[in-house]
Amino acid sequence: MLLIALLLPAINALTLHLNISLKDGGNVQKVLTTPWMEETFETTIWNSWKVTHKRKYDSVAEENYRKEIFVKNKKDIDEHNMLYKEGKETYFKGINQFTDWTHAEFLNILSNFKSPDNATEAEVIKFDASVELPAKKDWREAGAVLPIKNQGSCGSCWAFAAVAALEGAHKIKTGELTDLSEQQLVDCSYRYGNQGCEGGWPLKELQYVRDNQGLDTEESYPYMTTMGYCHYNRKYVGSLIKQIYRTQTGSEASLAMCIAGYGPIAVAVDATEMLSYSGGIYSNLRCNPHNLNHAVTVVGYTPDSWIIKNSWSTGWGEQGYMRLARNKGNMCGVAMDGVFPTL
């Protein structure tokens, strides 16, 4: 009896969450839940999420504030997922490390991507219709992609995107998959206009590596989530860059050709509404191809999607990846600003 008494609250909470429906004379009637019942379930989910993401707050007031944000975001997630189940959306959402963030806080790390005003220093690879492309390509299958990383709260997406492209190029050229340092770029490439955790340009980062004659390994120069002093050491160089190329602006055909022929490509996208993406093919008419605010790496493609490697940990998206709609009007600007190196 004691065990039943202890389990009863949890059972009740689960029952309420399922929104059990009863049939009455052939009509389905939804069992209504009270505000207290909803609050109990919300608290259960909230407490579980805090444990998973190791969240601790400085005060009760702050925790209450974060919980309100969490509940609001979860409501948005649930409403979107209902549309997904009805076939009205192509992707679904889920709670993740950002669920206690306001949208403004999320935009803070996005706005730290910067697109260069003048990118004429890199040669453009235009689409060549005579080149036969494979129907699909995934550089993960060739061992040219390292596991998902996590930029944390530092606005260093630009460094992670370009490093992933360089790691792929290095593997394709040498046969060795080497983990390279994002932190060196955050600390050392400021003379190229990059601003550490306050933003940067993948193109400028690659130019720095080329001119610097190398990028250190991650082991010798590990990521710290903040900007520090530059302590690059030439004896720990993990890769060099010989040449830098750009994809043809706005051309998904050029992007596909470069991915198939060269390797992973650093690109920029409008990630304004990607906070809670959890799976499926991301297609969003509100995604603005001219509002590029986040750098990622395209590591492959299928007939209907681009395979995107992000830097928000494996807790976001499909184990850290996203499938972005392909040939849907340059979705989110994926083909606007592609850049990649060769060795």
Side-chain angles (χ1 to χ4, degrees):
M1 292 299 293
L2 178 61
L3 179 60
I4 294 175
L6 292 172
L7 290 176
L8 189 56
I11 294 171
N12 285 339
L14 178 60
T15 302
L16 297 170
H17 175 57
L18 293 175
N19 289 321
I20 297 175
S21 297
L22 300 176
K23 288 187 177 180
D24 182 14
N27 298 319
V28 176
Q29 296 181 336
K30 188 175 182 180
V31 175
L32 299 178
T33 59
T34 68
W36 177 85
M37 294 171 177
E38 292 289 350
E39 174 67 21
T40 299
F41 184 70
E42 287 171 358
T43 300
T44 300
I45 295 294
W46 166 247
N47 289 334
S48 175
W49 178 88
K50 284 193 301 177
V51 171
T52 299
H53 294 280
K54 299 180 173 60
R55 284 292 204 276
K56 292 184 179 180
Y57 302 99
D58 293 335
S59 67
V60 173
E62 182 187 359
E63 176 159 351
N64 289 339
Y65 172 66
R66 290 298 166 185
K67 183 180 177 183
E68 287 180 9
I69 296 169
F70 178 91
V71 171
K72 180 179 180 296
N73 286 336
K74 188 177 182 305
K75 180 181 178 182
D76 172 75
I77 291 168
D78 292 341
E79 290 174 353
H80 176 92
N81 287 347
M82 284 299 297
L83 296 175
Y84 173 76
K85 290 177 182 178
E86 294 169 2
K88 298 177 181 178
E89 292 285 357
T90 59
Y91 69 99
F92 56 93
K93 296 183 176 183
I95 59 176
N96 56 33
Q97 72 269 34
F98 300 123
T99 311
D100 69 339
W101 286 23
T102 65
H103 195 246
E105 288 171 327
F106 179 67
L107 292 178
N108 244 6
I109 65 167
L110 294 184
S111 61
N112 288 328
F113 166 79
K114 301 180 186 298
S115 184
D117 295 327
N118 186 350
T120 58
E121 298 174 45
E123 181 182 344
V124 175
I125 304 296
K126 294 184 178 181
F127 175 63
D128 183 348
S130 68
V131 176
E132 186 175 348
L133 300 180
K136 60 181 181 178
K137 185 69 179 182
D138 189 342
W139 284 105
R140 294 175 297 181
E141 296 174 354
V145 182
L146 278 159
I148 293 293
K149 300 180 182 181
N150 187 6
Q151 70 182 75
S153 58
C154 174
S156 53
C157 61
W158 54 278
F160 282 84
V163 164
L166 178 53
E167 288 167 344
H170 186 85
K171 165 65 177 180
I172 294 165
K173 177 70 174 182
T174 70
E176 296 180 0
L177 184 60
T178 303
D179 196 352
L180 299 172
S181 173
E182 291 83 14
Q183 190 66 41
Q184 180 184 335
L185 303 174
V186 171
D187 294 346
C188 305
S189 65
Y190 52 88
R191 292 182 180 177
Y192 287 73
N194 297 323
Q195 301 168 31
C197 289
E198 298 303 315
W201 298 260
L203 173 61
K204 295 297 185 181
E205 177 265 313
L206 294 175
Q207 290 171 342
Y208 159 78
V209 175
R210 179 196 61 195
D211 298 346
N212 188 61
Q213 298 182 27
L215 182 66
D216 282 356
T217 63
E218 173 68 18
E219 182 180 9
S220 67
Y221 205 144
Y223 188 62
M224 303 297 290
T225 325
T226 58
M227 186 174 180
Y229 71 94
C230 180
H231 54 279
Y232 157 74
N233 190 325
R234 193 174 301 278
K235 72 178 182 179
Y236 297 122
V237 164
S239 185
L240 302 168
I241 289 177
K242 182 178 180 181
Q243 186 67 40
I244 303 167
Y245 297 96
R246 292 172 51 229
T247 60
Q248 184 178 347
T249 301
S251 171
E252 292 189 71
S254 170
L255 179 59
M257 186 180 74
C258 290
I259 291 169
Y262 293 93
I265 311 288
V267 302
V269 294
D270 175 10
T272 302
E273 297 189 20
M274 294 181 182
L275 177 146
S276 299
Y277 169 80
S278 191
I281 297 179
Y282 189 87
S283 180
N284 185 342
L285 293 178
R286 294 181 299 277
C287 220
N288 185 349
H290 300 290
N291 182 42
L292 306 179
N293 54 22
H294 184 55
V296 293
T297 313
V298 186
V299 299
Y301 61 83
T302 68
D304 56 4
S305 68
W306 300 105
I307 304 170
I308 304 291
K309 182 185 183 184
N310 204 352
S311 53
W312 292 343
S313 86
T314 57
W316 177 88
E318 297 179 330
Q319 291 295 304
Y321 287 89
M322 165 185 269
R323 284 178 289 154
L324 180 65
R326 180 183 173 204
N327 295 328
K328 292 291 184 180
N330 188 21
M331 182 61 62
C332 300
V334 65
M336 293 299 292
D337 199 7
V339 61
F340 62 96
T342 59
L343 279 64

